[in-house]
Amino acid sequence: MSTSKTIKSALISVFHKDGLAPIVQKLNELGVTIYSTGGTEKFIKELGINVVPVEDVTSYPSILGGRVKTLHPKVFGGILNRQDHEGDIAEMQEYEIPQIDLVIVDLYPFEKTVASGASEQDIVEKIDIGGISLIRASAKNFKDTFTVSSMDQYEEFLSILSENNGETSIEQRKKFAAKSFNISSHYDTAIFNYFNEDEVVYKASEQTSKVLRYGENPHQKGYFFGNLDAMFDKLHGKELSYNNLLDVDAAVNLMNEFIGEDPTFAVLKHNNACGFAQRSTIKQAYVDALAGDPVSAFGGVLIANTAIDAETAEEIHKLFCEVVIAPSYSDEALSILKGKKNRVILIQKTTELPVQNVRTALNGLLVQDKDAKTDALEDLTYVTNTKPTESEIKDLLFASKICKHTKSNTIVFTKNNQLLASGTGQTSRVDALRQAIEKATSFGFDLNGAVMASDAFFPFPDCVEIADKAGITSVIQPGGSIKDQLSIDYCNANNMSMVMTGTRHFKH
C-alpha cells in the first residue's frame, strides 16, 4: 500500500481558533468532509462551510457539561483503524464507522489557568480528556492519520495542504505525530507537577529551546531550554553563547540579592564576581567595581541593579565586555553602548526564577532547592570579645552576599561596600585566602580595616591568623567546626571580631 495518503475527511475541535479559518477553507476547497463539535462547529458554520456534527456520527449529544463529546467508538474507530488490515476494514463497514484521515485538536490551556491563580475547580476543568485522547490516538496511527495538535503548526500544515492538494507523506505524518507526543507528554507533566505533593520524583518538560553556536568549547554542541524572551529584552549584539548564559545566570542570581538597594554594579567572569561595588551613583558603582579586578573584567559580563545613564555608558564603552544587563538604559546610554557591534545589551525583566537547581551527575540528575537563604543581621552570633562596628557589620553582610555566589572554596574581602578581592574555587581555604590577599595587593588595595567572609567554617585558626596579619579586622563565617574555639581564641587574643551565621554557602 502506498505511504502517501489523501485527506478526504477531518475532525476539527479546537480551543484556539486563531489561524484556523484558512485551513478550514482549504479543506472545503479540496472537498474534505469536516466533522466538528461545539464552538468549533459554530465557527466553521459561520465561515459558510458545511460541517457534520459529531453527534450525527455517534447518535449521542455532548453530555456532562461538555466533558464527554468525542469519546465514542465511532470517532476513535475512524481514527485508529488500520487501512491495510482486513479485519479493521470489515469492522468499519459492519459498524458503519466513518474514516477520519485528519485530526486537528488542541488542548485546554491548563498551564495558563494555573499561572492565572485560578481556583482549583477552574484548573481541574482545564484538564483535557477528549482532546488528549484524540491527539494520542491519531498520532499513534500516523501511518494512516494526520495529526495537527497546536495552532503553532497551522502555517506549516496549510503549506502541506496547498502544495500537495491534500496529499500527505508518511514522513510528514510521522513528524507531526512526534510533535503531538511532545505536546501530550508536556501537558501530562504540567498536570502531575500541579498535583504532586508527596512523590519524590523529577518530571520536567520545556517546550521552548534554542540551538547555541556551541557548548563550552567549539567541539561541543550546546542548547538552551527555556524562554529567554520572558527574562530579557535583547536590544543589541550577537547571540548569547553557552558560556555567556552561564555568566548571565550567575550575574542575575547575584544581583537579585541587591534589588531595591543603592546603585550596585557587578562584573563577572567565569561565573564569579571579579568586581562589585555599591555607591550613590551607578557610574561610581561601575568605576569602583571595575577597580576590583580590571584585568579579569576583560570579556566579562556586567550587571547593574538600576538604570544605566550616559555617563556610566561612556565608562563601560572603554572596556571590552561580552554582555551588559540592566533594568533600563537612557537613550544616550544605549547609543553609546551600541557602538560595539557584538556587545550584547539586555534589559532584565521581573521574572520568577526556578526554585530548584538541576544538573547531570553520573547516570542521573542531582536536584536541590536553591540556596534562598541570605544572611541577615538577625542571623549573626557574636562569638568574640571584640564586637564588629556598625560599618563592619554592614560590610560583613555585604561580603556574605557576594561570598554566597562565589565558587567554593572561597574567601571574600570587602570594605566600604566594595569587593576588594576574592579567592575562588580553591581546593584549600588557605589557598583561597592567599589568592585573595595576592589579588588585593596586586591592584593596590589596602586591606587594613577590611572584612573577610568565608563560605564555610575554618577547621583551624590558620585562616584568621593569615587574615589578621594582612589587616583584616572582622570576619563572618558559618561556624560549625569542632575546632571553632581555636579561631575564636585567636581573634580574642588579637582584637579581631568574628560573627557566625550558622549557614554554610557552598557553591560547587
Side-chain angles (χ1 to χ4, degrees), residues 69-267:
K69 291 179 285 193
T70 56
L71 296 169
H72 193 279
K74 283 200 171 183
V75 174
F76 281 85
I79 294 168
L80 282 165
N81 73 94
R82 295 158 290 185
Q83 294 181 23
D84 59 353
H85 189 281
E86 289 185 9
D88 286 7
I89 293 170
E91 287 186 299
M92 292 282 286
Q93 293 173 348
E94 180 182 358
Y95 298 111
E96 299 181 339
I97 299 173
Q99 180 68 45
I100 298 176
D101 304 311
L102 166 67
V103 172
I104 302 178
V105 175
D106 63 5
L107 300 172
Y108 294 150
F110 178 83
E111 289 179 282
K112 286 185 178 178
T113 305
V114 172
S116 72
S119 68
E120 184 171 279
Q121 181 180 347
D122 289 339
I123 290 169
V124 168
E125 286 305 314
K126 289 298 185 289
I127 298 175
D128 210 312
I129 303 301
I132 199 83
S133 301
L134 290 167
I135 287 172
R136 288 176 63 84
S138 54
K140 173 179 178 175
N141 200 33
F142 68 89
K143 286 188 176 181
D144 295 316
T145 312
F146 202 107
T147 314
V148 179
S149 49
S150 167
M151 63 185 296
D152 296 336
Q153 301 167 343
Y154 286 176
E155 185 176 346
E156 184 180 358
F157 176 64
L158 183 59
S159 295
I160 292 171
L161 274 182
S162 302
E163 291 170 8
N164 302 293
N165 291 318
E167 188 173 293
T168 66
S169 68
I170 186 70
E171 292 80 15
Q172 290 167 338
R173 296 194 298 277
K174 190 172 184 178
K175 175 185 174 183
F176 273 68
K179 291 180 179 179
S180 297
F181 287 123
N182 178 22
I183 287 169
S184 66
S185 63
H186 178 83
Y187 196 74
D188 285 339
T189 295
I191 294 169
F192 169 77
N193 286 334
Y194 170 75
F195 279 97
N196 182 41
E197 294 179 354
D198 302 319
E199 290 191 60
V200 182
V201 296
Y202 181 76
K203 289 184 185 292
S205 177
E206 179 52 64
Q207 295 286 68
T208 308
S209 63
K210 184 179 184 64
V211 179
L212 304 175
R213 295 198 303 274
Y214 51 81
E216 279 186 287
N217 301 292
H219 63 278
Q220 296 170 268
K221 292 181 179 179
Y223 311 89
F224 175 77
F225 295 93
N227 186 2
L228 285 175
D229 291 338
M231 188 88 208
F232 304 105
D233 286 329
K234 182 169 175 283
L235 305 181
H236 182 72
K238 63 184 179 181
E239 292 300 312
L240 288 164
S241 70
Y242 184 97
N243 293 330
N244 288 157
L245 288 169
L246 287 175
D247 283 332
V248 168
D249 175 70
V252 166
N253 281 290
L254 171 59
M255 195 55 74
N256 278 351
E257 302 277 359
F258 298 88
I259 291 174
E261 296 190 14
D262 289 343
T264 307
F265 214 106
V267 182

Side-chain angles (χ1 to χ4, degrees), residues 12-18 20-21 24 34-47 49 51 53-55 62 65-66 69-70 104 106 108:
I12 308 175
S13 181
V14 297
F15 186 89
H16 302 97
K17 298 172 181 65
D18 294 345
L20 180 64
V24 174
I34 300 175
Y35 303 94
S36 191
T37 64
T40 309
E41 178 189 339
K42 180 182 177 184
F43 173 82
I44 295 170
K45 285 179 177 177
E46 289 175 351
L47 292 173
I49 293 172
V51 56
V54 166
E55 291 92 330
S62 174
K69 291 179 285 193
T70 56
I104 302 178
D106 63 5
Y108 294 150

